[in-house]
Amino acid sequence: MRLLLLLLALSLTALAQEGPPPDLSPEVFRIARELRCPVCQGESAAESNSGVAVEMRRLIAEMLEEGKTAAEIKAFFVERYGEWILYEPPRRGVTLWVWVLPVVGLFLLGLGLFAYFRPRRPLPEELLEEAERRLKEPPA
Amino acid sequence: MTPALLGNLSVALALAFSLLGLALALLAYLQGDGRFLKGAKALAPLTLLSALVAFVALEWALLTHDFSLAYVARNHALQDPLWVTLVTPWAALEGSILLWGLLQTLYAFVASRKPLDPWRASLVLAVLFGIQVFFFGVMATIASPFQTLPNPPANGTGPNPLLQDHWMMAVHPVLMYLGFVGLSVPFAYAVAAMVTRRYQSWVEETRWWTLIAWGFLTAGKVAGMWWSYEVLGWGGYWAWDPVENASFLPWLLATAFLHTAIVQQARGAFKTWNFAFVTLAFSATLLGTFLTRSGVIQSVHAFAEGPVGPAFLGFFLLATALGLGLLSRVSREVRDVAVFHPFSREGALLLGAFFFSGWALVVLLGTFYPLLVEAFAGAKVSVGAPFFNQVSAPIGAGLLLLMGVGPLLPWRRARKEVFRNLYLLLAALALGTLLGLLRGYTLGASLAVGLFLYNTLAVALLFAEGVRARRLAGLSPWSFLENRRRVGSLIVHFAVALMALAIAFSQTYRLEAEKTLYKGQAWEVAGVRMALQGVRALDEGRRFAVEARLSTDRFGEVRPRLHFYPQMNSPLPSPKVIYTPGNDYYFLLMDFDREKGEWASVRLVVTPMVFWIWVAGVLMALGTLYILWPASRPEAAREVSPA
Amino acid sequence: MRGWLWVLVVAFLAGLFWWGMQRNPKELPSVLAKERRPAPDFTLPLLPPYRAEWGEAFRLEDHLGKKPIVLNFWASWCYPACYEEAPVLEAAWRRHRERVLFLGVNTQDKEPEALRFIAQFGLTFPQVFDPRGRVAVDYGMYGVPETFFIDGEGRVYARHAGAIDEATLEKYLKEMLP
């Protein structure tokens, strides 16, 4: 009965069975997290369960075993998919701006605050006195 | 009377009533005639009723397995469990629009009962009815949930398996919609205020509305995070997915508004800012619904594409144009003069507002950057989670600093006594960071510890100050608890600090590894020892489950599963999560031996402190409820200043 | 906000999102095709029906540079796209078999399913079997079906993502053949 159910499971899936998949060390996931899954494009290669992502993790594991560094592994994928496959936008080229603009924004914010708090012509004495008086009144 | 007929009729009625209500409300404003307003107000319960009938009709069709309806045929199957059937209305596009419309009529009904001067009441109703006209109009024309099929099938395909794997499906979307729709009321009030030039009172009047909407949004987002964590099988809770970002924007802007509204209530300042925040928050909501339904950006959240994209784009542009147009007039007519020192409560709140807006802008930039680059340079770029994490960290740290010190600063300018508290806080920050570094944590994690201590001390100091003020005024110290706004906000602030700490640690120290185990084989990883006892299959009607039985040394038997749904060609992992106050242990079954069940491929994800994120979420909800709970003695609830 | 700035903002957003809705957000450019790189070599086992004619294993290098190659990645679970394009490919193979080599790569699939698919469409051009999808990664594939056009010098000339129709197929073939 159990065998029958397992065979049923066989017919419902599309993953081929060549033998058990390889073991993946934490390092594999650390690198896979920096790559995007080409199929489930919102997820990283570590999160996605699509066939391509599974294959990418396998490749990363194999390359780590061969002694390749993380940079070389990422370059391997960039060579095939373009820079798009990197989950973190590289700090050069057209994506440089996505890093620069927040810093520019912060600078502009500083300027804005400075302009806001710059001492202006003081308000007329009578208005300030009235404001003080109202503040000292007990709350209604 | 079939469900389809009833549904189509009630949608048409709801649209008709909304159009009538819109017309009457506008006439009331333009003619200044109270009878039109009365008529418009009378239509609010009618639209609610028709929307409710339509919703009930859809549920009726689902419960009776009426496959002549296209929506039922596409999203329902005979073997669906009852709870799945009941939540199917919001599992797909047309039904989700119906839910939104229904909630919109509910809020409009409640809003119509609030007393308001007739000029603004008519405008508020006009805006709310206008929104209803859009949603019911879409339902009546392009995206009807009650479209019928000429040849109904014997059985449908059922909802997307991702949406029926976990009970959270019943909760998260409803909470989110309650939050999104809730923002339309402050928006309506803001529009009314901007048109009638009554720039001050609207802030006080919308306080509860904003808090309620914010509360639902926060609860909905945390629920969504937890759902993603429990269900999706990757052990994470936030992916910076475009639709997640699009729903984060209104939350950020609503939070900013909650805080700057305090300044306008107390000092009359920040008028333009408050209008801007509410308008932009509502615009962001519409942007989010547009993104989810248009196929502009690839997202795991997106509904299947339909013809609704252009309609939602049009409505988003219309609402944004209206809001921005009015805003430009307000900014010309209102001058905000800073009669306060930067080092004061107002200053802290202003800086906080800037940080929130800055964060919203950065998230907006990152989400739409690929679209912009593709439009102008033709290149395909990716802006992923690492970008958002890295830019959010400093902004988050800045906000945490402000959150601690802000409430301690007095209005207008800081006095000498305040500095003692500030030094204490800074000492706590330094101490916490140092402790973290000594324990070998990274700089980021140590800083998170420091900020947590800093904020906890700030909350304690505020609490002590509140109690002391009561005692000095001759009241019972426990009467401080009656100041619901203060105490509630302290609870929420503490929860935010806790969540920040938990997020920092869970991101920095996450560990995952995958291994294929043969029957009887043991694996020791990350302090857990597990052994595979076996693999078995179960037939659960609507789906097929394969379970791996793992015996662990600490958690007994753990059984992660893979769910096979007939309509999906790859299985859905159903993880087993063990929550402990220290670490979360997340067991996933990735693959198994299909021929003989001799081996199973298991992934273990160990993330520290994730449990505290959910605790913090519950605390935030409780804190919000505390603020909203009606005070038993309103006099005792007021702020008492030290004599 | 000064005067007409907000009008510009709204108009800009309108234009951007309208344009955004017209295109497919999932589409990825092919690095190989853009840079006209030499087609990556691979050696894959052939599916049983083709072993008689082509041998046990198919090595791409043996055929590069001799004549243009149409390389089609497909899977039996990719419905409906692969099912739509299979007859188109088979018909084009029969028309051009003297001058162009058609090669199908069954990727991330199971052998019985693949054989069923082949039998259903009566595909006569050689099919190789790549269950892991390793070759797909080498070609920068992001979803089945994808068709790569390799010119007579062994360089990737173009890539078509999604089901291919007759017009596009003929267009690329005409461009590649002398």
Side-chain angles (χ1 to χ4, degrees):
Chain A
M1 183 58 187
R2 219 178 99 220
L3 202 60
L4 183 69
L5 287 175
L6 277 176
L7 287 174
L8 261 171
L10 185 85
S11 67
L12 288 173
T13 70
L15 296 170
Q17 286 253 300
E18 278 191 330
D23 296 343
L24 302 174
S25 64
E27 182 64 20
V28 170
F29 287 100
R30 245 173 260 138
I31 298 177
R33 236 177 278 157
E34 296 178 29
L35 296 167
R36 202 177 267 270
C37 167
V39 173
C40 308
Q41 289 178 4
E43 304 180 330
S44 73
E47 299 152 10
S48 168
N49 285 319
S50 68
V52 178
V54 170
E55 181 56 24
M56 283 171 79
R57 292 196 288 265
R58 247 187 231 210
L59 282 171
I60 296 173
E62 282 172 12
M63 285 193 272
L64 276 174
E65 207 127 313
E66 289 166 18
K68 296 232 167 71
T69 65
E72 287 171 343
I73 295 175
K74 285 200 275 194
F76 173 88
F77 286 105
V78 169
E79 204 185 301
R80 284 152 180 72
Y81 284 96
E83 288 213 326
W84 178 93
I85 195 106
L86 294 172
Y87 213 30
E88 179 176 345
R91 284 174 172 80
R92 57 179 181 280
V94 72
T95 49
L96 177 63
W97 289 107
V98 81
W99 292 104
V100 167
L101 284 173
V103 179
V104 170
L106 191 70
F107 179 65
L108 288 174
L109 152 73
L111 281 181
L113 279 175
F114 175 69
Y116 192 72
F117 283 111
R118 215 178 18 199
R120 282 190 199 81
R121 235 165 6 131
L123 290 173
E125 268 296 312
E126 317 86 62
L127 278 179
L128 279 174
E129 273 169 17
E130 179 69 12
E132 284 288 337
R133 194 176 63 74
R134 289 200 192 187
L135 275 167
K136 290 210 173 64
E137 267 173 22
Chain B
M1 175 66 74
T2 64
L5 186 59
L6 182 64
N8 278 319
L9 206 62
S10 32
V11 167
L13 267 179
L15 176 61
F17 286 140
S18 305
L19 273 168
L20 196 58
L22 174 64
L24 285 176
L26 283 174
L27 277 170
Y29 179 73
L30 293 168
Q31 303 280 25
D33 194 333
R35 290 172 300 174
F36 288 131
L37 182 60
K38 257 210 179 110
K41 280 194 187 170
L43 281 167
L46 287 174
T47 55
L48 172 60
L49 217 61
S50 8
L52 203 57
V53 169
F55 191 78
V56 167
L58 187 58
E59 289 279 21
W60 176 24
L62 285 164
L63 287 167
T64 56
H65 314 295
D66 183 354
F67 291 108
S68 66
L69 250 69
Y71 187 82
V72 179
R74 272 201 305 264
N75 299 300
H76 177 69
L78 286 166
Q79 60 267 29
D80 287 349
L82 179 64
W83 77 268
V84 174
T85 310
L86 287 172
V87 305
T88 306
W90 52 87
L93 181 73
E94 296 87 355
S96 73
I97 300 180
L98 178 55
L99 177 66
W100 193 299
L102 171 65
L103 292 173
Q104 195 74 55
T105 58
L106 177 65
Y107 273 102
F109 171 65
V110 179
S112 70
R113 318 255 303 168
K114 294 275 175 214
L116 197 61
D117 63 271
W119 298 104
R120 285 189 297 148
S122 46
L123 284 171
V124 166
L125 279 177
V127 171
L128 290 175
F129 276 127
I131 302 174
Q132 278 175 242
V133 163
F134 171 71
F135 279 99
F136 287 107
V138 166
M139 263 189 279
T141 51
I142 38 181
S144 172
F146 300 104
Q147 212 174 28
T148 48
L149 291 172
N151 299 313
N155 194 4
T157 43
N160 185 333
L162 274 170
L163 301 176
Q164 49 169 311
D165 229 30
H166 194 272
W167 58 267
M168 189 46 94
M169 175 56 186
V171 173
H172 163 68
V174 179
L175 286 174
M176 291 303 295
Y177 283 15
L178 279 168
F180 287 141
V181 177
L183 282 177
S184 64
V185 178
F187 175 70
Y189 271 79
V191 168
M194 286 194 275
V195 172
T196 57
R197 290 189 168 87
R198 309 243 169 110
Y199 295 145
Q200 179 61 17
S201 59
W202 75 280
V203 170
E204 171 72 44
E205 285 151 0
T206 54
R207 196 154 66 96
W208 287 143
W209 290 108
T210 317
L211 205 52
I212 291 171
W214 184 88
F216 278 127
L217 265 184
T218 311
K221 291 218 74 49
V222 176
M225 283 161 71
W226 188 57
W227 186 17
S228 162
Y229 183 68
E230 273 250 321
V231 167
L232 285 186
W234 56 289
Y237 44 81
W238 188 271
W240 297 106
D241 174 76
V243 171
E244 271 173 30
N245 296 350
S247 71
F248 191 45
L249 292 176
W251 185 86
L252 284 171
L253 294 165
T255 314
F257 173 59
L258 269 180
H259 292 85
T260 52
I262 300 174
V263 181
Q264 187 169 347
Q265 271 180 270
R267 303 294 315 285
F270 296 170
K271 290 193 178 62
T272 322
W273 276 110
N274 284 321
F275 282 129
F277 280 135
V278 165
T279 314
L280 289 174
F282 184 67
S283 275
T285 311
L286 293 180
L287 181 63
T289 58
F290 164 64
L291 281 183
T292 331
R293 294 170 175 81
S294 65
V296 172
I297 289 196
Q298 239 258 324
S299 161
V300 295
H301 285 84
F303 287 105
E305 281 156 46
V308 294
F312 275 89
L313 176 63
F315 190 57
F316 159 70
L317 290 171
L318 182 67
T320 311
L322 175 69
L324 288 181
L326 287 169
L327 261 177
S328 76
R329 187 174 81 170
V330 170
S331 73
R332 267 178 288 141
E333 296 183 358
V334 174
R335 277 276 166 268
D336 225 16
V337 177
V339 281
F340 52 88
H341 197 263
F343 206 53
S344 62
R345 180 103 46 106
E346 300 97 316
L349 286 168
L350 178 66
L351 195 57
F354 271 125
F355 270 121
F356 276 117
S357 337
W359 201 353
L361 275 174
V362 164
V363 170
L364 192 68
L365 172 71
T367 309
F368 288 108
Y369 198 74
L371 184 65
L372 282 168
V373 169
E374 206 184 318
F376 291 108
K380 192 95 177 181
V381 296
S382 114
V383 178
F387 167 76
F388 292 104
N389 285 332
Q390 286 177 47
V391 298
S392 300
I395 299 178
L399 280 169
L400 286 169
L401 280 172
L402 281 172
M403 191 173 77
V405 78
L408 279 169
L409 291 172
W411 295 99
R412 300 181 80 221
R413 71 186 304 134
R415 292 190 289 271
K416 278 201 307 278
E417 311 88 69
V418 171
F419 285 98
R420 179 191 68 107
N421 285 337
L422 288 178
Y423 292 142
L424 274 175
L425 287 182
L426 284 174
L429 174 63
L431 183 69
T433 315
L434 207 63
L435 274 174
L437 288 170
L438 284 174
R439 288 205 60 172
Y441 296 140
T442 66
L443 181 62
S446 311
L447 211 58
V449 174
L451 283 167
F452 178 70
L453 274 181
Y454 167 94
N455 275 305
T456 313
L457 183 62
V459 166
L461 282 175
L462 281 160
F463 211 88
E465 211 174 84
V467 169
R468 192 175 65 102
R470 296 270 166 158
R471 209 184 277 132
L472 282 175
L475 298 162
S476 145
W478 294 119
S479 70
F480 178 60
L481 290 174
E482 306 257 1
N483 186 351
R484 297 188 167 262
R485 189 157 129 187
R486 221 36 158 115
V487 175
S489 70
L490 286 179
I491 298 175
V492 173
H493 283 181
F494 174 72
V496 170
L498 179 61
M499 195 182 274
L501 179 69
I503 290 176
F505 269 81
S506 61
Q507 297 281 56
T508 316
Y509 291 109
R510 176 191 163 119
L511 186 94
E512 45 190 322
E514 197 170 306
K515 191 172 171 72
T516 305
L517 296 172
Y518 283 86
K519 232 196 308 202
Q521 189 182 355
W523 184 26
E524 175 121 26
V525 63
V528 177
R529 190 187 156 80
M530 68 180 99
L532 178 69
Q533 298 303 326
V535 179
R536 65 175 184 162
L538 305 123
D539 185 0
E540 292 187 347
R542 63 191 167 115
R543 67 182 178 205
F544 206 56
V546 174
E547 202 173 70
R549 288 183 5 252
L550 297 162
S551 63
T552 62
D553 54 345
R554 294 163 61 172
F555 312 118
E557 191 174 82
V558 171
R559 297 200 221 127
R561 293 171 150 215
L562 273 174
H563 285 152
F564 295 86
Y565 288 90
Q567 59 265 54
M568 284 190 90
N569 50 41
S570 50
L572 276 183
S574 178
K576 177 79 185 109
V577 190
I578 310 275
Y579 298 96
T580 73
N583 288 319
D584 264 21
Y585 297 90
Y586 200 88
F587 293 86
L588 273 166
L589 175 62
M590 300 302 297
D591 204 355
F592 61 95
D593 179 13
R594 280 134 220 262
E595 278 117 51
K596 296 195 226 79
E598 288 286 321
W599 54 265
S601 211
V602 175
R603 190 193 293 191
L604 176 67
V605 184
V606 182
T607 340
M609 294 198 71
V610 180
F611 172 72
W612 296 102
I613 298 181
W614 320 126
V615 169
V618 169
L619 276 179
M620 282 166 98
L622 286 177
T624 315
L625 267 175
Y626 195 85
I627 301 177
L628 288 168
W629 205 261
S632 51
R633 291 183 296 146
E635 332 74 67
R638 230 170 280 128
E639 188 94 27
V640 174
S641 44
Chain C
M1 260 144 260
R2 327 245 168 284
W4 294 106
L5 184 64
W6 62 271
V7 175
L8 282 176
V9 168
V10 174
F12 173 72
L13 286 175
L16 183 68
F17 288 135
W18 186 257
W19 174 86
M21 282 198 292
Q22 314 296 336
R23 98 246 185 275
N24 180 1
K26 271 193 71 121
E27 214 177 76
L28 265 184
S30 166
V31 176
L32 291 178
K34 247 186 4 182
E35 299 178 9
R36 293 284 177 89
R37 291 225 202 117
D41 182 34
F42 57 82
T43 307
L44 287 173
L46 279 139
L47 286 168
Y50 308 95
R51 290 199 191 135
E53 194 183 338
W54 300 88
E56 286 289 321
F58 189 100
R59 216 183 104 176
L60 187 68
E61 194 101 85
D62 295 337
H63 302 264
L64 283 177
K66 302 216 175 86
K67 41 173 146 154
I69 304 174
V70 174
L71 188 63
N72 173 253
F73 288 89
W74 63 276
S76 66
W77 45 264
C78 126
Y79 180 84
C82 294
Y83 287 70
E84 281 167 12
E85 65 169 14
V88 173
L89 287 163
E90 176 63 19
W93 161 246
R94 292 193 191 173
R95 271 199 306 274
H96 300 283
R97 64 185 304 159
E98 305 306 313
R99 303 189 297 157
V100 180
L101 173 64
F102 277 62
L103 179 67
V105 179
N106 175 262
T107 184
Q108 277 167 18
D109 206 350
K110 291 188 332 268
E111 200 171 311
E113 305 288 320
L115 292 172
R116 193 188 48 78
F117 186 95
I118 290 168
Q120 181 177 345
F121 291 99
L123 301 176
T124 54
F125 58 94
Q127 305 282 348
V128 290
F129 186 52
D130 180 21
R132 270 180 58 172
R134 176 78 172 80
V135 177
V137 172
D138 273 340
Y139 274 78
M141 197 188 80
Y142 68 89
V144 283
E146 275 185 31
T147 310
F148 289 82
F149 293 89
I150 304 171
D151 65 16
E153 289 156 31
R155 296 178 174 283
V156 176
Y157 177 78
R159 190 245 11 221
H160 180 93
I164 193 160
D165 59 300
E166 201 179 317
T168 321
L169 188 59
E170 292 296 328
K171 177 178 85 100
Y172 283 125
L173 285 177
K174 208 158 73 154
E175 288 170 14
M176 284 200 302
L177 289 167

